[in-house]
């Protein structure tokens, strides 16, 4: 009987000590390091296209200059519908010496003037979240902090097919009509609706090219004319380079100001 009583007392004491420990930790939480991600103020963020590279400055509050301290920054990766796949939807990069951009899975931050870069690989609406972990001597000393980034990017396709309208023969050359087409892809995933029409949102476009302008209603993914067709009185001449000065998209949203989106110097 004595042994049994002793066992019960010890179990009670252990239980009390464990509860006290949990309460002590709860009263002294490990706080994350506050930080912000700032995009380049000189770059317009509403007309991004596939291939663009976005520059971001990383601002860490109360930056710890202790030489044993470092910060680890990385994107949360995994949701394809939100374009969170590194090296598939985007490249997470640093700028190395000799202006070389290097793709990474995470960035080690050791100074207060660090920048990161995102190279856009696919069109769509990007809903990103980035984490920052403070470490000292390779040990985590703070909880993870998180910051979101949201932007949209499109892919613009232009092409110029020809159609034979008069067949050539011994007496004269063939004749062709050259057409000038474009479309804008704003992505195929669930949340990709940057330039997609809806009950509350519609678009019109204006194409400015050397020699004139063309305008009309616009729908993402559909094909439109960016220049009037040209009648060629001989075999069609290949087009090696062609530049549209500007495609302007006017976005009308119910109960909101008109949004003007400009894509400039678009070439084959």
């Amino acid at each position: 009987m004595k042994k049994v009583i002793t066992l019960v007392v010890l179990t009670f004491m252990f239980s009390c000590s464990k509860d006290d420990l949990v309460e002590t930790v709860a009263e002294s939480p490990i706080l994350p390091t506050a930080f912000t991600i700032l995009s380049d103020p000189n770059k317009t963020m509403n007309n991004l296209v596939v291939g663009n590279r976005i520059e971001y400055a990383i601002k860490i509050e109360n930056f710890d200059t202790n030489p044993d301290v470092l910060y680890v920054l990385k994107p949360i990766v995994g949701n394809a519908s939100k374009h969170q796949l590194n090296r598939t939807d985007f490249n997470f990069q640093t700028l190395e010496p000799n202006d070389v951009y290097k793709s990474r899975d995470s960035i080690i931050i050791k100074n207060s003037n660090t920048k990161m870069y995102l190279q856009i690989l696919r069109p769509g609406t990007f809903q990103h979240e980035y984490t920052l972990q403070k470490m000292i001597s390779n040990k985590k000393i703070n909880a993870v902090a998180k910051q979101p980034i949201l932007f949209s990017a499109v892919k613009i396709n232009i092409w110029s097919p020809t159609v034979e309208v008069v067949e050539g023969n011994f007496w004269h050359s063939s004749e062709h009509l050259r057409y000038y087409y474009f479309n804008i892809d704003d992505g195929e995933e669930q949340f990709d609706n940057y330039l997609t029409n809806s009950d509350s949102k519609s678009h019109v476009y204006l194409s400015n090219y050397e020699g004139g302008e063309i305008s009309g209603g616009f729908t993402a993914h559909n094909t439109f004319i960016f220049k009037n067709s040209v009648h060629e009185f001989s075999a069609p001449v290949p087009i090696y380079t062609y530049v549209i000065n500007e495609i302007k998209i006017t976005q009308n949203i119910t109960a909101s100001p008109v949004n003007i989106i400009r894509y400039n110097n678009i070439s084959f």
Side-chain angles (χ1 to χ4, degrees):
M1 178 63 70
K2 183 177 181 181
K3 292 183 178 180
V4 174
I5 292 173
T6 303
L7 178 61
V8 172
V9 172
L10 288 175
T11 303
F12 177 74
M13 292 175 62
F14 175 76
S15 177
C16 291
S17 299
K18 184 177 181 182
D19 290 342
D20 290 342
L21 178 61
V22 171
E23 185 177 352
T24 301
V25 172
E27 290 177 351
S28 304
I30 301 175
L31 299 176
T33 301
F35 75 107
T36 54
I37 302 175
L38 304 172
S39 60
D40 184 351
N42 299 315
K43 186 172 183 60
T44 303
M45 294 294 290
N46 75 339
N47 63 353
L48 297 171
V49 300
V50 170
N52 282 168
R53 181 178 283 108
I54 314 170
E55 175 185 299
Y56 292 95
I58 311 302
K59 300 297 182 183
I60 299 175
E61 293 186 15
N62 302 317
F63 189 89
D64 193 336
T65 58
N66 187 312
D68 293 329
V69 170
L70 57 83
Y71 300 86
V72 180
L73 178 74
K74 60 182 178 180
I76 294 177
V77 176
N79 194 326
S81 66
K82 296 181 179 181
H83 295 284
Q84 295 176 346
L85 301 181
N86 190 17
R87 307 176 195 266
T88 298
D89 294 308
F90 66 100
N91 281 329
F92 181 55
Q93 298 180 323
T94 55
L95 179 58
E96 304 298 317
N98 300 318
D99 294 330
V100 175
Y101 292 92
K102 185 171 182 178
S103 297
R104 298 184 178 275
D105 296 318
S106 62
I107 295 175
I108 304 300
I109 298 176
K110 294 184 177 181
N111 62 74
S112 59
N113 296 315
T114 299
K115 293 182 179 181
M116 73 175 196
Y117 301 84
L118 296 183
Q119 181 186 29
I120 303 169
L121 303 180
R122 293 181 60 197
T125 295
F126 290 68
Q127 301 177 60
H128 283 191
E129 196 166 34
Y130 289 77
T131 65
L132 185 74
Q133 174 75 68
K134 184 178 179 181
M135 304 182 70
I136 183 167
S137 300
N138 295 323
K139 294 181 180 180
K140 299 176 182 178
I141 62 171
N142 281 63
V144 172
K146 296 181 180 180
Q147 279 289 318
I149 291 178
L150 176 65
F151 63 89
S152 293
V154 304
K155 182 179 181 181
I156 303 177
N157 304 296
I158 63 175
W159 65 100
S160 181
T162 60
V163 175
E164 186 178 68
V165 293
V166 176
E167 186 177 356
N169 57 36
F170 181 79
W171 292 276
H172 62 79
S173 300
S174 61
E175 298 180 18
H176 300 78
L177 279 177
R178 181 178 292 280
Y179 295 93
Y180 299 88
Y181 295 131
F182 80 96
N183 67 24
I184 299 181
D185 180 359
D186 67 353
E188 301 287 349
E189 299 293 344
Q190 177 184 356
F191 305 106
D192 295 345
N193 58 7
Y194 182 52
L195 296 181
T196 299
N197 292 338
S198 67
D199 292 340
S200 60
K201 184 171 63 173
S202 63
H203 304 81
V204 295
Y205 82 94
L206 185 145
S207 169
N208 179 290
Y209 62 92
E210 184 178 354
E213 294 180 343
I214 289 182
S215 62
F218 173 83
T219 303
H221 303 280
N222 285 9
T223 297
F224 298 94
I225 298 171
F226 70 82
K227 177 182 177 180
N228 288 320
S229 60
V230 174
H231 194 162
E232 298 180 343
F233 292 92
S234 61
V237 178
I239 294 181
Y240 298 103
T241 302
Y242 193 89
V243 177
I244 307 172
N245 296 334
E246 178 183 79
I247 293 178
K248 181 176 75 174
I249 305 292
T250 301
Q251 191 175 64
N252 299 288
I253 304 175
T254 303
S256 298
V258 170
N259 184 31
I260 304 297
I261 305 166
R262 301 177 185 274
Y263 299 103
N264 299 107
N265 301 320
I266 307 154
S267 61
F268 282 95

